[in-house]
Amino acid sequence: MCESTSVNECKNSGGGSVRLDTWLHAVRLFKTRSLASNAIKASHVRVDGEIVKPSFRLSVGSTVAIRHPGYSNEYVVKKLLAKRVGAPLAREAYTDISAPPPPQLFAAPPRRERGTGRPTKKERRALDRLRGRESQNGRWRATFEEEES
């Protein structure tokens, strides 16, 4: 498994490694190990650019990328942790190298003035186009720009 100097920390001396889902849970990137495992199985987590299994043995220096809707975070592994630790210790186990998330994800949704009532059909369609959706025969459909090969 891993040779450790303490109960929670695994050093990279002698080829130490720890499971990916265990490490993601230990450094508090996921609330539970099963949530981490499910994200890995759904290909939302990559190690050094490759899709891996939850049982993948992580080593110091690896790059872990976690995809979220609209953006992704990247972390470089500095320490291997086998058990969940407090937040200050967990932050020392990795370096966040991800770009800041796009500002439109945190922007407040547009609000209508009080007393103006429901939007008209024309206003609703304009709002849907603004949000990247369009309705067709009463059904919602997301709009995507198609790539031409």
Side-chain angles (χ1 to χ4, degrees), residues 65-110:
I66 302 173
R67 188 179 50 160
H68 300 284
Y71 67 100
S72 66
N73 290 336
E74 292 189 29
Y75 306 98
V76 175
V77 179
K78 288 175 25 180
K79 290 183 187 176
L80 297 177
L81 300 176
K83 296 199 177 184
R84 194 165 171 96
V85 294
L89 292 175
R91 278 192 291 275
E92 294 174 3
Y94 61 86
T95 304
D96 189 0
I97 60 169
S98 54
Q104 68 266 20
L105 288 177
F106 300 110

mmCIF file of all heavy atoms in Angstrom, residues 65-110:
data_model
loop_
_atom_site.group_PDB
_atom_site.id
_atom_site.type_symbol
_atom_site.label_atom_id
_atom_site.label_comp_id
_atom_site.label_asym_id
_atom_site.label_seq_id
_atom_site.Cartn_x
_atom_site.Cartn_y
_atom_site.Cartn_z
ATOM 1 N N ALA A 65 -7.528 16.532 -13.006
ATOM 2 C CA ALA A 65 -8.473 17.507 -13.559
ATOM 3 C C ALA A 65 -9.886 17.044 -13.254
ATOM 4 O O ALA A 65 -10.255 15.901 -13.536
ATOM 5 C CB ALA A 65 -8.272 17.635 -15.059
ATOM 6 N N ILE A 66 -10.692 17.937 -12.654
ATOM 7 C CA ILE A 66 -12.079 17.638 -12.321
ATOM 8 C C ILE A 66 -12.962 18.576 -13.134
ATOM 9 O O ILE A 66 -12.840 19.788 -13.045
ATOM 10 C CB ILE A 66 -12.347 17.827 -10.816
ATOM 11 C CG1 ILE A 66 -11.411 16.938 -10.008
ATOM 12 C CG2 ILE A 66 -13.801 17.520 -10.493
ATOM 13 C CD1 ILE A 66 -11.485 17.173 -8.521
ATOM 14 N N ARG A 67 -13.855 17.992 -13.939
ATOM 15 C CA ARG A 67 -14.730 18.766 -14.809
ATOM 16 C C ARG A 67 -16.043 19.073 -14.097
ATOM 17 O O ARG A 67 -16.676 18.193 -13.523
ATOM 18 C CB ARG A 67 -14.999 17.989 -16.091
ATOM 19 C CG ARG A 67 -15.738 18.779 -17.130
ATOM 20 C CD ARG A 67 -15.940 17.954 -18.349
ATOM 21 N NE ARG A 67 -16.500 16.658 -17.950
ATOM 22 C CZ ARG A 67 -17.142 15.854 -18.766
ATOM 23 N NH1 ARG A 67 -17.278 16.156 -20.008
ATOM 24 N NH2 ARG A 67 -17.619 14.718 -18.324
ATOM 25 N N HIS A 68 -16.435 20.334 -14.129
ATOM 26 C CA HIS A 68 -17.711 20.796 -13.593
ATOM 27 C C HIS A 68 -18.514 21.378 -14.747
ATOM 28 O O HIS A 68 -17.938 21.689 -15.789
ATOM 29 C CB HIS A 68 -17.489 21.884 -12.532
ATOM 30 C CG HIS A 68 -16.681 21.427 -11.369
ATOM 31 N ND1 HIS A 68 -17.177 20.625 -10.377
ATOM 32 C CD2 HIS A 68 -15.385 21.644 -11.049
ATOM 33 C CE1 HIS A 68 -16.240 20.384 -9.489
ATOM 34 N NE2 HIS A 68 -15.133 20.988 -9.876
ATOM 35 N N PRO A 69 -19.813 21.580 -14.605
ATOM 36 C CA PRO A 69 -20.576 22.178 -15.706
ATOM 37 C C PRO A 69 -20.059 23.589 -16.026
ATOM 38 O O PRO A 69 -20.117 24.485 -15.197
ATOM 39 C CB PRO A 69 -22.007 22.241 -15.171
ATOM 40 C CG PRO A 69 -22.055 21.222 -14.092
ATOM 41 C CD PRO A 69 -20.671 21.159 -13.509
ATOM 42 N N GLY A 70 -19.514 23.771 -17.210
ATOM 43 C CA GLY A 70 -19.055 25.078 -17.646
ATOM 44 C C GLY A 70 -17.593 25.389 -17.406
ATOM 45 O O GLY A 70 -17.054 26.313 -17.990
ATOM 46 N N TYR A 71 -16.905 24.647 -16.555
ATOM 47 C CA TYR A 71 -15.490 24.896 -16.280
ATOM 48 C C TYR A 71 -14.868 23.653 -15.671
ATOM 49 O O TYR A 71 -15.551 22.673 -15.392
ATOM 50 C CB TYR A 71 -15.296 26.101 -15.356
ATOM 51 C CG TYR A 71 -15.807 25.898 -13.952
ATOM 52 C CD1 TYR A 71 -14.940 25.574 -12.922
ATOM 53 C CD2 TYR A 71 -17.155 26.035 -13.635
ATOM 54 C CE1 TYR A 71 -15.391 25.381 -11.628
ATOM 55 C CE2 TYR A 71 -17.618 25.851 -12.348
ATOM 56 C CZ TYR A 71 -16.730 25.529 -11.352
ATOM 57 O OH TYR A 71 -17.184 25.336 -10.079
ATOM 58 N N SER A 72 -13.554 23.678 -15.492
ATOM 59 C CA SER A 72 -12.880 22.545 -14.857
ATOM 60 C C SER A 72 -11.780 23.056 -13.937
ATOM 61 O O SER A 72 -11.266 24.159 -14.121
ATOM 62 C CB SER A 72 -12.291 21.594 -15.903
ATOM 63 O OG SER A 72 -11.262 22.241 -16.603
ATOM 64 N N ASN A 73 -11.446 22.260 -12.942
ATOM 65 C CA ASN A 73 -10.382 22.584 -12.000
ATOM 66 C C ASN A 73 -9.250 21.591 -12.186
ATOM 67 O O ASN A 73 -9.488 20.409 -12.429
ATOM 68 C CB ASN A 73 -10.881 22.499 -10.553
ATOM 69 C CG ASN A 73 -11.842 23.606 -10.210
ATOM 70 O OD1 ASN A 73 -11.823 24.663 -10.832
ATOM 71 N ND2 ASN A 73 -12.681 23.379 -9.236
ATOM 72 N N GLU A 74 -8.016 22.078 -12.033
ATOM 73 C CA GLU A 74 -6.847 21.209 -12.129
ATOM 74 C C GLU A 74 -6.013 21.347 -10.866
ATOM 75 O O GLU A 74 -5.826 22.450 -10.355
ATOM 76 C CB GLU A 74 -6.003 21.569 -13.347
ATOM 77 C CG GLU A 74 -6.683 21.253 -14.647
ATOM 78 C CD GLU A 74 -5.756 21.415 -15.830
ATOM 79 O OE1 GLU A 74 -4.529 21.228 -15.652
ATOM 80 O OE2 GLU A 74 -6.262 21.718 -16.914
ATOM 81 N N TYR A 75 -5.519 20.217 -10.388
ATOM 82 C CA TYR A 75 -4.741 20.179 -9.156
ATOM 83 C C TYR A 75 -3.484 19.350 -9.388
ATOM 84 O O TYR A 75 -3.521 18.351 -10.094
ATOM 85 C CB TYR A 75 -5.547 19.545 -8.021
ATOM 86 C CG TYR A 75 -6.886 20.202 -7.788
ATOM 87 C CD1 TYR A 75 -8.051 19.659 -8.321
ATOM 88 C CD2 TYR A 75 -6.993 21.366 -7.047
ATOM 89 C CE1 TYR A 75 -9.280 20.255 -8.115
ATOM 90 C CE2 TYR A 75 -8.218 21.972 -6.836
ATOM 91 C CZ TYR A 75 -9.357 21.412 -7.368
ATOM 92 O OH TYR A 75 -10.564 22.015 -7.172
ATOM 93 N N VAL A 76 -2.388 19.753 -8.761
ATOM 94 C CA VAL A 76 -1.154 18.969 -8.772
ATOM 95 C C VAL A 76 -1.007 18.346 -7.390
ATOM 96 O O VAL A 76 -1.099 19.032 -6.365
ATOM 97 C CB VAL A 76 0.074 19.852 -9.101
ATOM 98 C CG1 VAL A 76 1.348 19.043 -8.995
ATOM 99 C CG2 VAL A 76 -0.069 20.451 -10.480
ATOM 100 N N VAL A 77 -0.776 17.050 -7.341
ATOM 101 C CA VAL A 77 -0.679 16.316 -6.077
ATOM 102 C C VAL A 77 0.674 16.612 -5.430
ATOM 103 O O VAL A 77 1.715 16.395 -6.033
ATOM 104 C CB VAL A 77 -0.841 14.802 -6.316
ATOM 105 C CG1 VAL A 77 -0.712 14.042 -5.014
ATOM 106 C CG2 VAL A 77 -2.161 14.510 -6.990
ATOM 107 N N LYS A 78 0.642 17.139 -4.185
ATOM 108 C CA LYS A 78 1.871 17.397 -3.433
ATOM 109 C C LYS A 78 2.105 16.351 -2.358
ATOM 110 O O LYS A 78 3.241 15.983 -2.076
ATOM 111 C CB LYS A 78 1.812 18.784 -2.777
ATOM 112 C CG LYS A 78 1.950 19.902 -3.777
ATOM 113 C CD LYS A 78 1.791 21.304 -3.233
ATOM 114 C CE LYS A 78 2.067 21.568 -1.813
ATOM 115 N NZ LYS A 78 1.875 22.970 -1.418
ATOM 116 N N LYS A 79 1.026 15.877 -1.726
ATOM 117 C CA LYS A 79 1.105 14.846 -0.681
ATOM 118 C C LYS A 79 0.029 13.809 -0.943
ATOM 119 O O LYS A 79 -1.025 14.122 -1.481
ATOM 120 C CB LYS A 79 0.849 15.441 0.703
ATOM 121 C CG LYS A 79 1.925 16.334 1.237
ATOM 122 C CD LYS A 79 1.550 16.782 2.639
ATOM 123 C CE LYS A 79 2.506 17.809 3.174
ATOM 124 N NZ LYS A 79 2.074 18.311 4.486
ATOM 125 N N LEU A 80 0.295 12.602 -0.516
ATOM 126 C CA LEU A 80 -0.696 11.538 -0.608
ATOM 127 C C LEU A 80 -1.328 11.340 0.757
ATOM 128 O O LEU A 80 -0.617 11.148 1.737
ATOM 129 C CB LEU A 80 -0.042 10.239 -1.085
ATOM 130 C CG LEU A 80 0.562 10.293 -2.485
ATOM 131 C CD1 LEU A 80 1.237 8.976 -2.806
ATOM 132 C CD2 LEU A 80 -0.493 10.613 -3.514
ATOM 133 N N LEU A 81 -2.640 11.411 0.813
ATOM 134 C CA LEU A 81 -3.375 11.220 2.063
ATOM 135 C C LEU A 81 -4.281 10.012 1.914
ATOM 136 O O LEU A 81 -4.996 9.887 0.927
ATOM 137 C CB LEU A 81 -4.216 12.454 2.384
ATOM 138 C CG LEU A 81 -3.454 13.762 2.558
ATOM 139 C CD1 LEU A 81 -4.429 14.907 2.779
ATOM 140 C CD2 LEU A 81 -2.489 13.674 3.709
ATOM 141 N N ALA A 82 -4.250 9.141 2.898
ATOM 142 C CA ALA A 82 -5.077 7.939 2.869
ATOM 143 C C ALA A 82 -6.373 8.127 3.638
ATOM 144 O O ALA A 82 -7.349 7.441 3.379
ATOM 145 C CB ALA A 82 -4.307 6.760 3.435
ATOM 146 N N LYS A 83 -6.386 9.065 4.594
ATOM 147 C CA LYS A 83 -7.585 9.299 5.397
ATOM 148 C C LYS A 83 -7.943 10.772 5.356
ATOM 149 O O LYS A 83 -7.085 11.632 5.210
ATOM 150 C CB LYS A 83 -7.361 8.855 6.837
ATOM 151 C CG LYS A 83 -7.127 7.376 6.943
ATOM 152 C CD LYS A 83 -7.366 6.896 8.334
ATOM 153 C CE LYS A 83 -7.184 5.394 8.350
ATOM 154 N NZ LYS A 83 -7.491 4.828 9.623
ATOM 155 N N ARG A 84 -9.224 11.052 5.524
ATOM 156 C CA ARG A 84 -9.737 12.417 5.474
ATOM 157 C C ARG A 84 -9.151 13.235 6.625
ATOM 158 O O ARG A 84 -9.110 12.781 7.764
ATOM 159 C CB ARG A 84 -11.259 12.396 5.559
ATOM 160 C CG ARG A 84 -11.923 13.698 5.191
ATOM 161 C CD ARG A 84 -13.398 13.423 4.971
ATOM 162 N NE ARG A 84 -14.181 14.631 4.810
ATOM 163 C CZ ARG A 84 -14.511 15.151 3.643
ATOM 164 N NH1 ARG A 84 -14.095 14.562 2.540
ATOM 165 N NH2 ARG A 84 -15.251 16.228 3.573
ATOM 166 N N VAL A 85 -8.693 14.449 6.302
ATOM 167 C CA VAL A 85 -8.086 15.325 7.304
ATOM 168 C C VAL A 85 -8.820 16.664 7.300
ATOM 169 O O VAL A 85 -9.694 16.902 6.475
ATOM 170 C CB VAL A 85 -6.578 15.541 7.008
ATOM 171 C CG1 VAL A 85 -5.808 14.251 7.158
ATOM 172 C CG2 VAL A 85 -6.364 16.137 5.645
ATOM 173 N N GLY A 86 -8.438 17.523 8.218
ATOM 174 C CA GLY A 86 -9.038 18.847 8.295
ATOM 175 C C GLY A 86 -8.721 19.691 7.069
ATOM 176 O O GLY A 86 -7.773 19.426 6.328
ATOM 177 N N ALA A 87 -9.500 20.746 6.870
ATOM 178 C CA ALA A 87 -9.358 21.587 5.686
ATOM 179 C C ALA A 87 -7.970 22.223 5.555
ATOM 180 O O ALA A 87 -7.410 22.241 4.459
ATOM 181 C CB ALA A 87 -10.451 22.648 5.664
ATOM 182 N N PRO A 88 -7.358 22.753 6.638
ATOM 183 C CA PRO A 88 -6.022 23.343 6.477
ATOM 184 C C PRO A 88 -4.971 22.321 6.028
ATOM 185 O O PRO A 88 -4.133 22.621 5.185
ATOM 186 C CB PRO A 88 -5.688 23.877 7.873
ATOM 187 C CG PRO A 88 -7.002 24.079 8.533
ATOM 188 C CD PRO A 88 -7.887 23.015 7.989
ATOM 189 N N LEU A 89 -5.025 21.112 6.556
ATOM 190 C CA LEU A 89 -4.087 20.073 6.149
ATOM 191 C C LEU A 89 -4.388 19.577 4.739
ATOM 192 O O LEU A 89 -3.481 19.254 3.974
ATOM 193 C CB LEU A 89 -4.121 18.896 7.121
ATOM 194 C CG LEU A 89 -3.591 19.167 8.521
ATOM 195 C CD1 LEU A 89 -3.799 17.955 9.406
ATOM 196 C CD2 LEU A 89 -2.129 19.542 8.462
ATOM 197 N N ALA A 90 -5.656 19.543 4.386
ATOM 198 C CA ALA A 90 -6.042 19.075 3.056
ATOM 199 C C ALA A 90 -5.540 20.025 1.977
ATOM 200 O O ALA A 90 -5.110 19.590 0.909
ATOM 201 C CB ALA A 90 -7.559 18.926 2.975
ATOM 202 N N ARG A 91 -5.575 21.337 2.236
ATOM 203 C CA ARG A 91 -5.111 22.311 1.243
ATOM 204 C C ARG A 91 -3.611 22.212 0.993
ATOM 205 O O ARG A 91 -3.133 22.602 -0.067
ATOM 206 C CB ARG A 91 -5.471 23.727 1.681
ATOM 207 C CG ARG A 91 -6.899 24.097 1.338
ATOM 208 C CD ARG A 91 -7.139 25.575 1.502
ATOM 209 N NE ARG A 91 -7.116 26.005 2.888
ATOM 210 C CZ ARG A 91 -8.149 25.966 3.715
ATOM 211 N NH1 ARG A 91 -9.297 25.505 3.293
ATOM 212 N NH2 ARG A 91 -8.041 26.383 4.950
ATOM 213 N N GLU A 92 -2.873 21.675 1.946
ATOM 214 C CA GLU A 92 -1.428 21.503 1.768
ATOM 215 C C GLU A 92 -1.095 20.293 0.902
ATOM 216 O O GLU A 92 0.042 20.150 0.462
ATOM 217 C CB GLU A 92 -0.744 21.333 3.138
ATOM 218 C CG GLU A 92 -0.830 22.565 4.008
ATOM 219 C CD GLU A 92 -0.287 22.316 5.403
ATOM 220 O OE1 GLU A 92 0.199 21.198 5.660
ATOM 221 O OE2 GLU A 92 -0.363 23.242 6.218
ATOM 222 N N ALA A 93 -2.067 19.430 0.641
ATOM 223 C CA ALA A 93 -1.816 18.201 -0.106
ATOM 224 C C ALA A 93 -1.882 18.398 -1.615
ATOM 225 O O ALA A 93 -1.556 17.490 -2.367
ATOM 226 C CB ALA A 93 -2.816 17.128 0.314
ATOM 227 N N TYR A 94 -2.323 19.567 -2.083
ATOM 228 C CA TYR A 94 -2.400 19.810 -3.518
ATOM 229 C C TYR A 94 -2.174 21.282 -3.819
ATOM 230 O O TYR A 94 -2.254 22.133 -2.950
ATOM 231 C CB TYR A 94 -3.752 19.366 -4.089
ATOM 232 C CG TYR A 94 -4.946 20.087 -3.506
ATOM 233 C CD1 TYR A 94 -5.380 21.300 -4.020
ATOM 234 C CD2 TYR A 94 -5.659 19.554 -2.445
ATOM 235 C CE1 TYR A 94 -6.472 21.959 -3.495
ATOM 236 C CE2 TYR A 94 -6.751 20.198 -1.911
ATOM 237 C CZ TYR A 94 -7.157 21.396 -2.445
ATOM 238 O OH TYR A 94 -8.242 22.050 -1.925
ATOM 239 N N THR A 95 -1.873 21.555 -5.094
ATOM 240 C CA THR A 95 -1.739 22.916 -5.590
ATOM 241 C C THR A 95 -2.790 23.108 -6.667
ATOM 242 O O THR A 95 -2.873 22.322 -7.609
ATOM 243 C CB THR A 95 -0.340 23.145 -6.209
ATOM 244 O OG1 THR A 95 0.642 22.826 -5.230
ATOM 245 C CG2 THR A 95 -0.177 24.582 -6.643
ATOM 246 N N ASP A 96 -3.593 24.157 -6.529
ATOM 247 C CA ASP A 96 -4.637 24.455 -7.503
ATOM 248 C C ASP A 96 -4.027 25.257 -8.648
ATOM 249 O O ASP A 96 -3.557 26.375 -8.446
ATOM 250 C CB ASP A 96 -5.761 25.241 -6.834
ATOM 251 C CG ASP A 96 -6.979 25.407 -7.725
ATOM 252 O OD1 ASP A 96 -6.953 24.922 -8.869
ATOM 253 O OD2 ASP A 96 -7.954 26.025 -7.269
ATOM 254 N N ILE A 97 -4.011 24.686 -9.857
ATOM 255 C CA ILE A 97 -3.439 25.365 -11.019
ATOM 256 C C ILE A 97 -4.511 25.709 -12.045
ATOM 257 O O ILE A 97 -4.205 26.045 -13.177
ATOM 258 C CB ILE A 97 -2.341 24.510 -11.682
ATOM 259 C CG1 ILE A 97 -2.895 23.167 -12.144
ATOM 260 C CG2 ILE A 97 -1.151 24.338 -10.772
ATOM 261 C CD1 ILE A 97 -1.942 22.382 -13.027
ATOM 262 N N SER A 98 -5.773 25.647 -11.657
ATOM 263 C CA SER A 98 -6.857 25.884 -12.602
ATOM 264 C C SER A 98 -7.061 27.376 -12.846
ATOM 265 O O SER A 98 -6.746 28.216 -12.006
ATOM 266 C CB SER A 98 -8.151 25.259 -12.087
ATOM 267 O OG SER A 98 -8.426 25.721 -10.795
ATOM 268 N N ALA A 99 -7.583 27.670 -14.017
ATOM 269 C CA ALA A 99 -7.927 29.046 -14.373
ATOM 270 C C ALA A 99 -9.180 29.441 -13.598
ATOM 271 O O ALA A 99 -9.990 28.579 -13.239
ATOM 272 C CB ALA A 99 -8.185 29.144 -15.866
ATOM 273 N N PRO A 100 -9.377 30.730 -13.341
ATOM 274 C CA PRO A 100 -10.597 31.129 -12.628
ATOM 275 C C PRO A 100 -11.838 30.799 -13.456
ATOM 276 O O PRO A 100 -11.784 30.855 -14.694
ATOM 277 C CB PRO A 100 -10.437 32.640 -12.448
ATOM 278 C CG PRO A 100 -9.387 33.051 -13.406
ATOM 279 C CD PRO A 100 -8.528 31.866 -13.658
ATOM 280 N N PRO A 101 -12.939 30.431 -12.797
ATOM 281 C CA PRO A 101 -14.148 30.078 -13.542
ATOM 282 C C PRO A 101 -14.694 31.299 -14.286
ATOM 283 O O PRO A 101 -14.461 32.438 -13.878
ATOM 284 C CB PRO A 101 -15.118 29.601 -12.464
ATOM 285 C CG PRO A 101 -14.599 30.123 -11.195
ATOM 286 C CD PRO A 101 -13.127 30.306 -11.359
ATOM 287 N N PRO A 102 -15.428 31.073 -15.367
ATOM 288 C CA PRO A 102 -15.983 32.189 -16.123
ATOM 289 C C PRO A 102 -16.911 33.038 -15.255
ATOM 290 O O PRO A 102 -17.672 32.501 -14.445
ATOM 291 C CB PRO A 102 -16.774 31.521 -17.245
ATOM 292 C CG PRO A 102 -16.431 30.087 -17.219
ATOM 293 C CD PRO A 102 -15.760 29.789 -15.931
ATOM 294 N N PRO A 103 -16.865 34.362 -15.412
ATOM 295 C CA PRO A 103 -17.668 35.226 -14.544
ATOM 296 C C PRO A 103 -19.168 35.071 -14.746
ATOM 297 O O PRO A 103 -19.939 35.330 -13.822
ATOM 298 C CB PRO A 103 -17.206 36.639 -14.905
ATOM 299 C CG PRO A 103 -16.584 36.521 -16.238
ATOM 300 C CD PRO A 103 -16.043 35.131 -16.332
ATOM 301 N N GLN A 104 -19.621 34.647 -15.928
ATOM 302 C CA GLN A 104 -21.056 34.556 -16.145
ATOM 303 C C GLN A 104 -21.697 33.453 -15.316
ATOM 304 O O GLN A 104 -22.902 33.467 -15.124
ATOM 305 C CB GLN A 104 -21.399 34.370 -17.627
ATOM 306 C CG GLN A 104 -20.988 33.047 -18.214
ATOM 307 C CD GLN A 104 -19.637 33.107 -18.879
ATOM 308 O OE1 GLN A 104 -18.847 33.999 -18.616
ATOM 309 N NE2 GLN A 104 -19.351 32.156 -19.739
ATOM 310 N N LEU A 105 -20.896 32.501 -14.792
ATOM 311 C CA LEU A 105 -21.473 31.460 -13.947
ATOM 312 C C LEU A 105 -21.936 32.013 -12.606
ATOM 313 O O LEU A 105 -22.831 31.467 -11.980
ATOM 314 C CB LEU A 105 -20.450 30.345 -13.711
ATOM 315 C CG LEU A 105 -20.166 29.447 -14.900
ATOM 316 C CD1 LEU A 105 -19.087 28.448 -14.545
ATOM 317 C CD2 LEU A 105 -21.416 28.728 -15.340
ATOM 318 N N PHE A 106 -21.301 33.102 -12.161
ATOM 319 C CA PHE A 106 -21.645 33.658 -10.862
ATOM 320 C C PHE A 106 -22.459 34.936 -10.974
ATOM 321 O O PHE A 106 -22.724 35.604 -9.980
ATOM 322 C CB PHE A 106 -20.373 33.921 -10.057
ATOM 323 C CG PHE A 106 -19.581 32.663 -9.818
ATOM 324 C CD1 PHE A 106 -18.372 32.458 -10.450
ATOM 325 C CD2 PHE A 106 -20.072 31.667 -8.999
ATOM 326 C CE1 PHE A 106 -17.654 31.295 -10.250
ATOM 327 C CE2 PHE A 106 -19.369 30.506 -8.792
ATOM 328 C CZ PHE A 106 -18.155 30.313 -9.423
ATOM 329 N N ALA A 107 -22.853 35.327 -12.183
ATOM 330 C CA ALA A 107 -23.645 36.534 -12.379
ATOM 331 C C ALA A 107 -25.074 36.297 -11.905
ATOM 332 O O ALA A 107 -25.608 35.192 -12.007
ATOM 333 C CB ALA A 107 -23.643 36.938 -13.851
ATOM 334 N N ALA A 108 -25.681 37.338 -11.386
ATOM 335 C CA ALA A 108 -27.058 37.239 -10.918
ATOM 336 C C ALA A 108 -27.987 37.104 -12.123
ATOM 337 O O ALA A 108 -27.768 37.724 -13.164
ATOM 338 C CB ALA A 108 -27.429 38.474 -10.114
ATOM 339 N N PRO A 109 -29.039 36.282 -12.001
ATOM 340 C CA PRO A 109 -29.979 36.156 -13.114
ATOM 341 C C PRO A 109 -30.748 37.469 -13.317
ATOM 342 O O PRO A 109 -30.964 38.221 -12.361
ATOM 343 C CB PRO A 109 -30.913 35.036 -12.667
ATOM 344 C CG PRO A 109 -30.789 34.989 -11.191
ATOM 345 C CD PRO A 109 -29.406 35.449 -10.870
ATOM 346 N N PRO A 110 -31.153 37.757 -14.550
ATOM 347 C CA PRO A 110 -31.887 39.007 -14.771
ATOM 348 C C PRO A 110 -33.216 38.994 -14.025
ATOM 349 O O PRO A 110 -33.901 37.976 -13.964
ATOM 350 C CB PRO A 110 -32.093 39.045 -16.282
ATOM 351 C CG PRO A 110 -31.900 37.645 -16.742
ATOM 352 C CD PRO A 110 -30.990 36.985 -15.761
#
